[in-house]
Every structure is written in structure tokens, then in C-alpha cells.
């Protein structure tokens, strides 16, 4: 019997729970006798605290404790570098000394009987500082090579690479373009704000926390408090969006646990929207210089891509900013250099499609500028420079469907009807622009474990400590389990988000389906084979009825050596149509067509949803998102959803067309999947930027593209 569940557009198995409100998020795990905490944050970007007056706050109604560096317990802060931590530097030590590293640095914690009492008392503290000169303007900083560059795939990359003679080839190129592209800081802004409920039982700690990596939180907090990681349980079954913001245990998690220990009762700490701009990381401000050289027939002869981004003064955070440049287009002479600017800011973190989204924006806009200089169609230019192999690693691609993505997306979009001259296409008074860009993201696969338990009634329970911040992990894992076991999907229950379950890697980097899905498949196959062998039947339900007792199996999934033999990536092509009001500078995205070669698609319904979400996120990156930092003090002046603009329903284009190219890749992982969460955003911003140029004749190289820049 087979159910062939993989590949079916199954609706979300957790959908009803979310609609009726029974899905429980971090801040909803209220505990008996629970207290509430509020964080007091610095109002300077660098310096020392010279005095902090707490008497008035301590005498306020309902106050349980007011903690500062003067009275907070000293924490172990044992050395610890998790999967998602920067390789170089030391994480923020909260309430341990009088230093201030950035605007919004936590300087006190108020614990009270109610949230209102905690928030009120927090306003009563009086703090004075000895300010120091702060580095808050990236343009005034001095970029330096990182000590060690660690990407979101937990791999290290050389900060500087060279093949051939890039400088010489650029100097002698028949046609060349050289420009600088800027992306400002962006914040994640998920609908669910970060929250932690902490409860101690002796030396054992339970954390109900918004997290994309429950094991990472457990191990970090164990190191901070000097206890065994097995004594920390982290629970996070539902995550209301995160986009990378939940990949680390930020200081508020430590503060919640610290408050609970001092108070001797459970404590809830929930960040405000404004606090999240200072406490949970962000996509860093990047500045990139791209120089391209080509022959007159459109063959790339030189690529020089130099980029730098902000990081904190206490940790070296680095993205895979230039990785795509090294492999995306064929070129014999390529130079890349990635640098950092240490600043008095909170440490950045990965934000959806980290590194690739930013680097591809600069590269694909520069390629469009080259197409204009050569008077060659942008798609044709890319086809002429399609590589036969990964020229950086000198490895064959496990599969690469770029040509097919260009073809099917261009055909669906109607690209052949485009007239190349800027401002040549109109709809009434609106200027119409068509643009495109290439997308790519690496295939990631990390060790993961899962457990399958078959019950005598013919149902199955499958567990793994994965997360689901929205892509549909609950559903896709249920599909893999049902398909492997040969059971109807309604007879399989999958559970996630708890460190009492088998270990998994972080829920990010488009690795969950490959890693956790492969482990679920292996555990279910192992349990099924055991049940059939012991039950003496070919039918699983019949075998379990005959056994009359549960059958349980745990399995691990680990990457093989394919990563050393092949270069493994997803690829795609994004086409956009924009309409620009010539008098108001307003830009409206009317259509987006994306084609993706992403291996096996487990659930086309949730996969399309992922891509639509990525398209809308890319629109935000291109046209709206910008954390405006006051260079005088490092304060984010628009740290709210009233002034930090993100796309809403009215901004969504009427057409968002998603095409999955049929692609079978036997090398990437047992399921043959490549991941979609990240690549769905890559390429959208440059496609929009290129379309805006086509519509207006104005080349804007600094995001976001706002009306004032077009007028």
C-alpha cells in the first residue's frame, strides 16, 4: 500500500489550530504565580554608566526586584560557540559591568507582579553616563578584513578570493561598468514579537521561547548560567514569523532566566516592537562596489566585487555576501573581497536569504547596466555567460536548471514583447518597466535526528525538535512520514519544537526539509521495516494490530561526501513589471514571475506560499524597508511599524506567478530537495530595480527606491 503523499498540495495540518487560536506561542505559556519583567536600555551608544538610581523604582507598587550591574548575580558566561554564533568575538554579557556598547544596551531589569507595574517602574530609574565617541555611521568607518568569515551555513569562507587576472582583464576590457550599490539596515519585523517565559525548578530551567533553534537556546543559556545543557528545556512549538531573528538566544532570554532565578518564581519577558530593533539583530547595512568587464559580444572577461557591512564592536558577524558572485556567471577573471566595519551597534543576524539577497542585488543590477552598455537583451547576456561548472570550486553542479528557468519564466512573462529603450512602454500616464534577475542559494544539509513511534491502532507519532516559523514544517514532515510509512496523512501526528525531542539543526538556511525531512524519512522507514518484520505481514496496519504493542525507532541523517564532489545550489529567474507615476514617483509592482529549479517539491501548495512570501519580502527590500539610524547616537528613528514601511495587501501585485522546473537531483540528500525559503527572496530586489530603470531611465543604486529618489 502506498499513499504517495509527497508532491501533493496538502493544506497545513496546523492551520485549524492557528485559525481558532489554539496554537500556543511563546508569550502565551503563562505559569502559576508568574511575574513580569521589563528591560531598561541605554540611551547612549558608547560609554560607561556613572550612576543608576533605583530607589524610586524599588518602592513602586508590585515590585519584586530591580537588577543592575551593581546587584545582579555574576553569571558564568562559559565559553560557547553555537551553530549560529559568530566565530570571532564574545556575546553580550548583560548586567555584569558598567559598559555600554550600543544604543539600547540592556542596563537594568525590573521584575514586578504585573506587566504594567514593571513598565512603570522602569521609567523611574535615573541613569547618568560618561559617554564616549561612538562609531554609528558606516560611511565614517574603516572597513577591515574579518578575522574569520563564517556564513549562515556554518562554513568558513576566505574574505578575499581571486582567479585569473581580474584587474588586468578589467583594464583591457572592451566594455566595462563600475558602480557602487548600497543597501541600508533592515529589521525582520515578524508579526510575533520575541518573548520568553522562564521557570526554575531547583537547578533545572524551562524556557518557553520564540526560537528557530531550541537546542541552540538550551546550550547557550546553560553556558551563561554554568549548568548542564540537559538541565535546560526549551519549548517553542509555534513561531509567528522570524526570518532569522530567532536563530540566537538574545540577551532577553538570559534576562528572563535571571529574573526568574532572583524572583524565585516564573517570569515572562516580552520585547516591544521598538526593543526588537535593538535586541534581536538585523540585516546589516552593506556597501558594494562592482566592476564588470566584457567583450563586445557580451562575454564576461572580468568581475570585481568588493563589499563591506556593519558589525558590532564585540563580535564579527559576516554574511555570504559575495558567494553568488563566485559561481553565478561564467568569467575567467574574478576578484571578491568582503570586509567589516566594527560599529557601536547590536550584533546583526541573518535575515531571509542572508548575504545572497544583498550580493545578488549588486551583481544583477551591474549586469543589467552592462546589458544596456552592450545593447544586449538582459536574458541573452546571462545565457551567453552560463557556466558549465562551478568555476570557483572547479566542481560540476549536482544540477543546474538556470537556462530552463530563464526560458519558462520569460515565456510566461511575455518578455519577447519588451521594447528595450527606457521610457518606451506606457499604460496611459504610467511609465511601464520590465526587469529581470537571476536567483541562487546553496543547498544546505546538516545532521538531524527524528523518532517514529507506531501504535497498535495503526497510527503513528513522529517527533523531531525542528521549528516552524511559517514555511509549513508541521505539514511537510507529516507528508514525508505518511508517505514513508504508507499511511493516510490523517493517521500521522508530527510534533516539533522541544529539546525533549531528537536533535535538529537551526531552522534556517533552507536546510530544514533536507536535514530534518531526511531524518524523518529514515526513522519512519526503520520503524516500518521493524514492524513488518516482527508482525509477519506486508500490511503495516495489520502488522501493528498483530503485534499489539508500540514499535519505536530513532534515526539520524547526516551529509555524505556529495558536497566535496558537487557544487549544490538552487537556481531561479525572476521577472517583474512595474508602473511608475512620472509626476509623483510612486512605483507599483504589477507582476512578478519566478521560475525555480529547487529539486523535489514536497508540497507545491506551501512551496508556492513560500515563494509568494519571498516575492513580497523582496518588494519590501526594493521599495520600502530602511531602518533609519541617527548617526549622532545610533538610535533607530523609525523603530515601529508606523514608520518602518513593509508591504501590505494593497501593495501586493495582482499577479505573482510561481513555476517549479522539474528537477531531479539524486546527489543533494535522500529526499532530493534543495530548499525554497531563501531563494524565493533572492533576485526580486534587483529585478525590480532593473524594471524601474527601464521604466524611467533613472538608475537607482541605493535601496529602497522611494519616490523622492525618482523625482
Amino acid at each position: 500500500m502506498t499513499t504517495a503523499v509527497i508532491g501533493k498540495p496538502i493544506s497545513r495540518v496546523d492551520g485549524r489550530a492557528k485559525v481558532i487560536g489554539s496554537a500556543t506561542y511563546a508569550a502565551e505559556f503563562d505559569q502559576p504565580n508568574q511575574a513580569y519583567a521589563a528591560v531598561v536600555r541605554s540611551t547612549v551608544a558608547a560609554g560607561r554608566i556613572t550612576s543608576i538610581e533605583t530607589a524610586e523604582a524599588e518602592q513602586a507598587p508590585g515590585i519584586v526586584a530591580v537588577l543592575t550591574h551593581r546587584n545582579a548575580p555574576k553569571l558564568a558566561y562559559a565559553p560557547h560557540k553555537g551553530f549560529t554564533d559568530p566565530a570571532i568575538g564574545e556575546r553580550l554579557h548583560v548586567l555584569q559591568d558598567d559598559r555600554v556598547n550600543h544604543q539600547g544596551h540592556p542596563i537594568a531589569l525590573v521584575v514586578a507582579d504585573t506587566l504594567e507595574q514593571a513598565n512603570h517602574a522602569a521609567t523611574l530609574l535615573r541613569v547618568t553616563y560618561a559617554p564616549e565617541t561612538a562609531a554609528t555611521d558606516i560611511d565614517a568607518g574603516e572597513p577591515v578584513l574579518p578575522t574569520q568569515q563564517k556564513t549562515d551555513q556554518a562554513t568558513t569562507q576566505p574574505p578575499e578570493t581571486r582567479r585569473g587576472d581580474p584587474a588586468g582583464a578589467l583594464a583591457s576590457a572592451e566594455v566595462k561598468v563600475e558602480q557602487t550599490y548600497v543597501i541600508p539596515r533592515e529589521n525582520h519585523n515578524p508579526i510575533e514579537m520575541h518573548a520568553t517565559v522562564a521557570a526554575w525548578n531547583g537547578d533545572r530551567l524551562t524556557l518557553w521561547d520564540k526560537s528557530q533553534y531550541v537546542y541552540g537556546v538550551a546550550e547557550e543559556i546553560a553556558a551563561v548560567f554554568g549548568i548542564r545543557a540537559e538541565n535546560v528545556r526549551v519549548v517553542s512549538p509555534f513561531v509567528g514569523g522570524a526570518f532569522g531573528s530567532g536563530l540566537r538566544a538574545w540577551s532577553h532570554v538570559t534576562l528572563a532566566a535571571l529574573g526568574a532565578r532572583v524572583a524565585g518564581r516564573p517570569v515572562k519577558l516580552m520585547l516591544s516592537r521598538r526593543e526588537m530593533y535593538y535586541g534581536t539583530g538585523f540585516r546589516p547595512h552593506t556597501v558594494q562596489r562592482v566592476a564588470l568587464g566584457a567583450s563586445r559580444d557580451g562575454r564576461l572577461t572580468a568581475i570585481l566585487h568588493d563589499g563591506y557591512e556593519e558589525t558590532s564592536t564585540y563580535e564579527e558577524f559576516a554574511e555570504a555576501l559575495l558567494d553568488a558572485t563566485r559561481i553565478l556567471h561564467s568569467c575567467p577573471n574574478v576578484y571578491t573581497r568582503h570586509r567589516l566595519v566594527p560599529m557601536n551597534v547590536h550584533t546583526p543576524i541573518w535575515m531571509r536569504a542572508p548575504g545572497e539577497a544583498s550580493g545578488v542585488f549588486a551583481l544583477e543590477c551591474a549586469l543589467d547596466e552592462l546589458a544596456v552598455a552592450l545593447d544586449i537583451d538582459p536574458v541573452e547576456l546571462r545565457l551567453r555567460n552560463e557556466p558549465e561548472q562551478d568555476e570557483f570550486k572547479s566542481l560540476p553542479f549536482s544540477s543546474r536548471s538556470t537556462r530552463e528557468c530563464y526560458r519558462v519564466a520569460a515565456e510566461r512573462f511575455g518578455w519577447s514583447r519588451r521594447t528595450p529603450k527606457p521610457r518606451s512602454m506606457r499604460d496611459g500616464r504610467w511609465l511601464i518597466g520590465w526587469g529581470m534577475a537571476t536567483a541562487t542559494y546553496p543547498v544546505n544539509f546538516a545532521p538531524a535526528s527524528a523518532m517514529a513511534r507506531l501504535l497498535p491502532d495503526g497510527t503513528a507519532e513522529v517527533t523531531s525538535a525542528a521549528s516552524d516559523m511559517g514555511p509549513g514544517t508541521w505539514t511537510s514532515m507529516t507528508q514525508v512520514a505518511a508517505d514513508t510509512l504508507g499511511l493516510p496523512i490523517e493517521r500521522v501526528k508530527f510534533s516539533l519544537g522541544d529539546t525533549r525531542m531528537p536533535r535538529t539543526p537551526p531552522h534556517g538556511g533552507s536546510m530544514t526539509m533536507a536535514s530534518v525531512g531526511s531524518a524523518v524519512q529514515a526513522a519512519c522507514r526503520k520503524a516500518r521495516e521493524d514492524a513488518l518484520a516482527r508482525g509477519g505481514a506486508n500490511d503495516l496496519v495489520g502488522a501493528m494490530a498483530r503485534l499489539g504493542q508500540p514499535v519505536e525507532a530513532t534515526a539520524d541523517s547526516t551529509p555524505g561526501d556529495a558536497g566535496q564532489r558537487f557544487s549544490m545550489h538552487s537556481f531561479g529567474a525572476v521577472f517583474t513589471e512595474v508602473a511608475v507615476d512620472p509626476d509623483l514617483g510612486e512605483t507599483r509592482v504589477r507582476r512578478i514571475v519566478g521560475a525555480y529549479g529547487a529539486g523535489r517539491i514536497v508540497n507545491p501548495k506551501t512551496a508556492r506560499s513560500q515563494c509568494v512570501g519571498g516575492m513580497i519580502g523582496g518588494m519590501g527590500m526594493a521599495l520600502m524597508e530602511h531602518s533609519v539610524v541617527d548617526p549622532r547616537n545610533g538610535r533607530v528613528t523609525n523603530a515601529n511599524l508606523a514608520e518602518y514601511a513593509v508591504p501590505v495587501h494593497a501593495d501586493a501585485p495582482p499577479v505573482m506567478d510561481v513555476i517549479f522546473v522539474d528537477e531531479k537531483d539524486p546527489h543533494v540528500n535522500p529526499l532530493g530537495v534543495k530548499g525554497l525559503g531563501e531563494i524565493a527572496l533572492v533576485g526580486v530586489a534587483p529585478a525590480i530595480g532593473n524594471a524601474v530603470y527601464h521604466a524611467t531611465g533613472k538608475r537607482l543604486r541605493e535601496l529602497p527606491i522611494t519616490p523622492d529618489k525618482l523625482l
Side-chain angles (χ1 to χ4, degrees), residues 667-701:
H667 308 293
V668 286
N669 48 66
L671 281 171
V673 301
K674 285 187 169 185
L676 271 171
E678 321 293 345
I679 195 175
L681 190 142
V682 180
V684 178
I688 291 173
N690 295 338
V692 169
Y693 167 76
H694 181 235
T696 65
K698 290 186 177 181
R699 179 68 68 176
L700 299 182
R701 303 181 181 93

Side-chain angles (χ1 to χ4, degrees), residues 576-607:
T576 63
E577 176 183 322
V578 302
V580 181
D581 187 312
D583 299 316
L584 301 178
E586 177 188 6
T587 299
R588 286 283 174 183
V589 179
R590 291 188 170 185
R591 290 190 295 148
I592 304 179
V593 175
Y596 305 96
R600 190 182 194 186
I601 304 300
V602 172
N603 185 326
K605 186 174 186 177
T606 56

Side-chain angles (χ1 to χ4, degrees), residues 42 71 86 155 158 160 213 215 383 391 393 400 482 490 564 569 573 695:
S42 71
N71 66 341
T155 60
E160 199 168 9
Y213 187 21
Y215 271 94
L383 288 170
E391 296 175 347
K393 294 181 178 179
R400 177 165 172 142
E490 61 272 12
Q564 284 73 54
H569 300 259

